[in-house]
Amino acid sequence: MGHVPELIIDLALILGAAAVMTIIFKMLRQPVVLGYIIAGVVVGPYFNFFPTVVESDGIKTWAEIGVIFLLFGLGLEFSFKKLLKVGNVAVITSLMGVGMTFLIGYNVGVILGWSMMDSLFMGGILSIASTTIIFRAFDELGVKSQKFAGIVLGALVIEDLVAVVLMVILSTVSISRSFEGMEMIYSIGKLVFFLVLWFVSGIFFLPTLFKRLKKYLSDETLLVVSLSLCFMMVVLSSQAGFSPALGAFIMGSILAETPKVERIEHLVQSVKDLFGAIFFVSVGMLLNPDMLVEYALPIGISTLVLLLGKPTFATIGALFAGQPIKVAVQTGMSLSQIGEFSFIIATLGVTLDVTSDFLYPVAVAVSVITTFTTPYMIGFSGRISDWVTLKMPEKWKNRLYKYSLGTQQVTEASDWKKLIRFYVINTLIFSVVIISIILLANQFLAPFFEESKWKNLIVVSLTLLMIAPFLYALAFRRGPSQTYANIWLKPLYRGPLLALIISRIALSIFFIGFVFAKYYSPLAAFIGVLVATLFFVTQRHRIKRFYGKIESRFLLNLHERERAEEEQQKKQSVLAPWDSHLTKFTLETRSPIIGQPLGVMKLRETYGVNIVIIDRGGLTINIPRQEEVLYPNDVISVIGTDEQLSLFKDDITVKESQEEPKSEVSQVGLHSFSIPADSELIGQTMRDSKMRERCKGIVVGLERDEKRIVNPDPDITFHADDVIWIVGINKRIQVYLKDILKS
């Protein structure tokens, strides 16, 4: 019998403990993450009543993989376009809460006599709220539709990005062991450069790649391709000087802009859950109970910072953004915990060996406490806001009310502001692309022509040709024509506008000169700039057309997901017969119909409803068969009346879905037809006619002699002039009707 490696024994121990704790915490209706942490304590080196993990180094490697999958999953839910849609309220609320909490956390460490690195990491740990915990709490409390929940979810998007920036800053400080302003600016600038480069190149290439390989992308292939892209970005991120977790987050964010994101998310979910469990168990393994007792004071203070400090500052931020008192208080009290990003920041400190041993257990303990308190903080926020309103001086309330009304007035951004924003984004994106091409040409193109006597001329020419369309866009793109014209017609703004135009042209000429200067003398570079500029001016229209193709491809890929969703929404926005209509629901894990075949459920007989579409990640099942089984998180489209759908929702433990089905093209529609006098259907029952099997449809209504029958009995006999309402696959129904009505 072969020897089983210790690592496999340790994994069996970890997953066994995690499985038991998961079941217990599910029964207690508590976050599973806490169960994983406690499982880690049980199998960790500080708890001797059960077998203990031996190969801790191997488990750390698996835990690092868990961090990568965790950040990859967060990236899939992040989306940079979602960031652009976040309103000012969420931005102000988030930055106020994060910034002030970071400062307080840092000062708590200083007061307690900690080192600068411990204090900085403590500030970072306390400043980022847990997206996972808040999402779960909102679901359980049923408050997702309330106004404050939307602000909180927007603030979490901002906090995720802030956490990424914090990781870069803390890594930089850890390496230099000092807080140097210029080095910090360089690190943030490098982060912005790579974010823009990766995002632009990812959006340009990946959707096109997926489209070309569409027929080959089975679930298995798409999973492998997605994970390979994730780990490639992890390697690139590490080589660029960032953490591997950042690379995983970025690739997830890029894939979040593609139409395949829901399918990828569905495929990766199981793998992410597995490695995520190992990561959180490894977190618990580092939790020393003795250290918790020794550092009870900082744990208590840090908990108070999150339960009192951050809610206060986030509330002030929401008030400053113009929200009413009640909404502001509810928003602030929802952001009173830490979770996954805090663990990752704490892990970063341990990995870099710059934080003390006690900081990690302190962070875990604070997270456990605040996770338990989160539902109560959200639940009591309404009462607290009422109490604050009651105790606040009338003068203050009136001022806040007037301020809130004033800030919520819809104001149109000025033309000048729009143009400045366009020029800044335009200059940033194209400068990054141009610099990247120049660097890549020097790194890979120049060595290829090393033996040629025309090396410099060839490399310079090819480099200029590659950056030509982006130089055109940088120098000559004017932005929205109406906005540009409005500003030009105002003499006061013509001078600044001309200055902007000239500065962009000058920047383009600088890039041309930089390319020549790298390979030639200053005089030769000057002559080269004149020649290249003349070439660009004379060939401007050709370059413009070529750039137009590049931009069209990019915008097509960028908006492909929204376009597919809009197309599907149009195709599925049909009226059902009479007062019946289609509604989408998402099946929860505890739904009693999970795992049962449709034929066994008797939904039509019990509730009068029909399931006509099942959307499962990227897989759409139109008119499902009776043997089809439902799974957790399936999005089902159900047809029925308001009363039937309400009863179905209450009994089956589902929630109304805010999402459209994820399939790329909807094939299902609602059709009606009248049975002619000579039809073969007359005298047959619905069951005998095999209508469902022949047209892949469900009969949902029948009109006869001014009577309307919803969900007619399968044994009803068809009569002449009956009007049949049927939901099914459009093409199959059209073929069926031609066959039935041809006579």
Side-chain angles (χ1 to χ4, degrees):
M1 183 175 178
H3 174 68
V4 179
E6 291 289 349
L7 181 60
I8 295 179
I9 297 174
D10 290 341
L11 276 177
L13 190 60
I14 286 174
L15 294 178
V20 172
M21 288 299 175
T22 298
I23 295 172
I24 293 174
F25 273 71
K26 284 283 188 181
M27 294 170 62
L28 297 175
R29 300 179 67 84
Q30 294 298 325
V32 176
V33 171
L34 294 181
Y36 291 148
I37 293 173
I38 293 175
V41 174
V42 171
V43 300
Y46 306 105
F47 199 83
N48 297 321
F49 292 100
F50 294 96
T52 302
V53 169
V54 177
E55 289 284 344
S56 57
D57 290 338
I59 298 302
K60 286 180 181 177
T61 301
W62 286 62
E64 289 177 7
I65 298 175
V67 173
I68 289 172
F69 278 109
L70 189 63
L71 267 293
F72 183 58
L74 288 172
L76 289 172
E77 299 170 2
F78 177 78
S79 170
F80 281 102
K81 278 198 295 186
K82 189 189 297 183
L83 178 64
L84 296 177
K85 295 177 183 177
V86 171
N88 292 334
V89 176
V91 174
I92 295 171
T93 301
S94 176
L95 294 182
M96 175 69 80
V98 170
M100 295 305 298
T101 306
F102 182 90
L103 289 176
I104 291 179
Y106 173 77
N107 283 294
V108 165
V110 171
I111 292 171
L112 293 173
W114 295 356
S115 67
M116 185 190 77
M117 296 308 304
D118 286 337
S119 301
L120 282 173
F121 272 84
M122 193 62 191
I125 288 168
L126 296 180
S127 61
I128 307 299
S130 171
T131 303
T132 304
I133 294 170
I134 291 176
F135 264 67
R136 181 180 178 85
F138 280 179
D139 271 338
E140 291 179 351
L141 296 173
V143 298
K144 266 191 172 181
S145 60
Q146 296 187 25
K147 183 178 180 180
F148 80 92
I151 298 174
V152 171
L153 297 179
L156 290 172
V157 173
I158 301 297
E159 290 200 9
D160 286 349
L161 186 62
V162 171
V164 170
V165 176
L166 264 180
M167 289 165 60
V168 174
I169 293 175
L170 292 173
S171 299
T172 304
V173 173
S174 301
I175 294 170
S176 62
R177 300 291 177 130
S178 62
F179 199 84
E180 297 180 5
M182 289 305 298
E183 190 171 355
M184 202 62 55
I185 293 173
Y186 170 75
S187 297
I188 294 176
K190 188 170 75 168
L191 173 64
V192 172
F193 177 87
F194 280 105
L195 284 179
V196 172
L197 175 62
W198 289 334
F199 179 75
V200 170
S201 57
I203 292 300
F204 186 81
F205 290 109
L206 288 184
T208 303
L209 177 67
F210 286 149
K211 194 180 298 183
R212 296 282 174 85
L213 300 177
K214 182 178 179 180
K215 63 179 180 180
Y216 305 110
L217 291 179
S218 63
D219 285 354
E220 178 184 1
T221 306
L222 184 60
L223 175 63
V224 174
V225 169
S226 302
L227 293 185
S228 68
L229 289 170
C230 171
F231 281 95
M232 283 171 58
M233 186 59 75
V234 164
V235 174
L236 283 175
S237 178
S238 300
Q239 291 181 345
F242 302 120
S243 68
L246 173 63
F249 181 83
I250 296 301
M251 181 49 69
S253 301
I254 293 171
L255 291 174
E257 308 300 345
T258 68
K260 300 291 184 185
V261 59
E262 287 85 5
R263 190 175 166 198
I264 294 171
E265 200 171 354
H266 176 74
L267 293 172
V268 172
Q269 186 66 44
S270 299
V271 185
K272 186 186 78 171
D273 289 343
L274 172 63
F275 286 99
I278 296 173
F279 167 69
F280 286 115
V281 171
S282 70
V283 169
M285 288 169 58
L286 296 175
L287 194 60
N288 186 345
D290 295 334
M291 198 169 285
L292 296 183
V293 175
E294 182 180 352
Y295 289 93
L297 178 61
I299 291 172
I301 294 174
S302 300
T303 302
L304 289 177
V305 168
L306 287 175
L307 297 182
L308 299 177
K310 187 170 184 181
T312 301
F313 294 120
T315 298
I316 293 172
L319 289 172
F320 185 73
Q323 294 305 301
I325 297 172
K326 183 172 184 177
V327 173
V329 172
Q330 289 177 312
T331 300
M333 292 185 67
S334 300
L335 297 168
S336 59
Q337 72 296 109
I338 57 176
E340 55 277 358
F341 263 121
S342 299
F343 293 144
I344 293 166
I345 292 173
T347 304
L348 182 66
V350 173
T351 304
L352 297 173
D353 195 25
V354 294
T355 55
S356 303
D357 294 338
F358 64 81
L359 192 62
Y360 198 101
V362 168
V364 175
V366 173
S367 174
V368 171
I369 295 171
T370 55
T371 298
F372 277 118
T373 59
T374 293
Y376 302 103
M377 293 288 286
I378 298 173
F380 286 119
S381 60
R383 299 180 190 177
I384 298 297
S385 65
D386 293 338
W387 180 84
V388 170
T389 304
L390 183 65
K391 297 297 182 180
M392 183 178 290
E394 200 67 31
K395 188 176 180 181
W396 289 16
K397 283 191 286 187
N398 291 334
R399 286 184 177 178
L400 285 173
Y401 178 72
K402 291 179 181 178
Y403 177 75
S404 176
L405 284 179
T407 55
Q408 292 184 45
Q409 297 297 322
V410 178
T411 57
E412 185 177 355
S414 67
D415 289 328
W416 185 250
K417 183 179 178 181
K418 291 178 183 177
L419 195 65
I420 290 292
R421 183 170 179 266
F422 169 81
Y423 277 1
V424 169
I425 295 175
N426 189 79
T427 302
L428 175 64
I429 291 176
F430 292 113
S431 295
V432 167
V433 173
I434 291 168
I435 293 170
S436 301
I437 293 174
I438 293 172
L439 294 176
L440 288 172
N442 181 67
Q443 184 74 22
F444 299 103
L445 198 59
F448 188 77
F449 296 100
E450 194 67 46
E451 303 299 327
S452 174
K453 63 178 181 178
W454 302 102
K455 169 194 167 185
N456 290 348
L457 180 60
I458 294 173
V459 174
V460 168
S461 300
L462 291 176
T463 303
L464 289 176
L465 283 174
M466 287 189 289
I467 66 175
F470 307 107
L471 285 173
Y472 160 80
L474 177 61
F476 299 114
R477 282 193 79 217
R478 289 185 174 183
S481 57
Q482 187 60 51
T483 301
Y484 187 90
N486 291 342
I487 294 175
W488 184 257
L489 292 174
K490 298 175 182 178
L492 180 63
Y493 293 129
R494 284 185 184 176
L497 182 57
L498 285 171
L500 277 177
I501 295 171
I502 293 171
S503 65
R504 294 171 63 203
I505 294 174
L507 183 58
S508 300
I509 294 174
F510 167 79
F511 283 128
I512 296 173
F514 180 81
V515 173
F516 277 102
K518 189 166 185 63
Y519 298 96
Y520 292 103
S521 65
L523 178 60
F526 178 75
I527 297 173
V529 168
L530 293 178
V531 174
T533 303
L534 180 63
F535 171 80
F536 280 116
V537 170
T538 56
Q539 301 298 317
R540 175 180 171 184
H541 295 293
R542 290 186 178 181
I543 297 172
K544 178 181 178 180
R545 285 196 297 271
F546 184 65
Y547 168 75
K549 294 179 181 179
I550 295 175
E551 185 181 67
S552 297
R553 170 61 62 83
F554 180 81
L555 294 177
L556 189 70
N557 288 346
L558 183 64
H559 300 299
E560 184 177 0
R561 183 181 175 192
E562 289 88 344
R563 191 170 56 256
E565 290 176 353
E566 288 175 5
E567 183 180 347
Q568 173 147 330
Q569 188 174 9
K570 288 179 183 178
K571 291 187 176 183
Q572 288 196 346
S573 59
V574 294
L575 293 174
W578 319 307
D579 57 347
S580 297
H581 57 93
L582 279 170
T583 301
K584 302 172 188 65
F585 298 103
T586 301
L587 291 180
E588 296 185 355
T589 306
R590 60 181 183 275
S591 174
I593 63 175
I594 294 296
Q596 296 188 42
L598 293 179
V600 175
M601 299 178 204
K602 305 293 184 183
L603 299 180
R604 183 166 178 157
E605 294 80 356
T606 306
Y607 303 101
V609 300
N610 294 282
I611 296 177
V612 296
I613 304 173
I614 302 174
D615 197 287
R616 185 172 298 147
L619 173 66
T620 298
I621 304 171
N622 297 317
I623 314 301
R625 297 175 178 272
Q626 294 297 304
E627 60 268 20
E628 188 65 49
V629 176
L630 296 175
Y631 295 97
N633 298 317
D634 279 354
V635 178
I636 56 175
S637 294
V638 186
I639 190 168
T641 65
D642 286 338
E643 294 77 11
Q644 293 167 342
L645 292 170
S646 178
L647 182 63
F648 172 79
K649 177 185 176 183
D650 293 340
D651 286 6
I652 306 302
T653 318
V654 295
K655 54 186 177 182
E656 289 193 46
S657 176
Q658 302 299 317
E659 304 174 84
E660 294 298 323
K662 307 301 189 303
S663 58
E664 295 181 3
V665 180
S666 172
Q667 300 177 358
V668 173
L670 178 65
H671 303 261
S672 65
F673 66 95
S674 177
I675 299 178
D678 56 351
S679 173
E680 64 182 41
L681 291 175
I682 296 175
Q684 293 189 37
T685 65
M686 190 187 307
R687 193 189 308 277
D688 294 337
S689 69
K690 304 291 184 182
M691 186 179 293
R692 178 188 178 100
E693 292 78 6
R694 293 174 65 183
C695 66
K696 296 293 181 183
I698 301 174
V699 176
V700 295
L702 184 148
E703 295 182 47
R704 176 183 296 169
D705 300 329
E706 298 184 354
K707 293 182 181 179
R708 295 175 172 179
I709 306 171
V710 178
N711 294 327
D713 189 281
D715 293 320
I716 194 170
T717 304
F718 290 126
H719 295 177
D721 298 323
D722 281 352
V723 177
I724 307 298
W725 290 83
I726 185 168
V727 176
I729 298 174
N730 296 324
K731 291 183 179 179
R732 294 291 294 269
I733 289 180
Q734 290 168 4
V735 172
Y736 175 76
L737 292 182
K738 285 181 181 179
D739 186 42
I740 290 295
L741 305 177
K742 63 183 177 181
S743 58

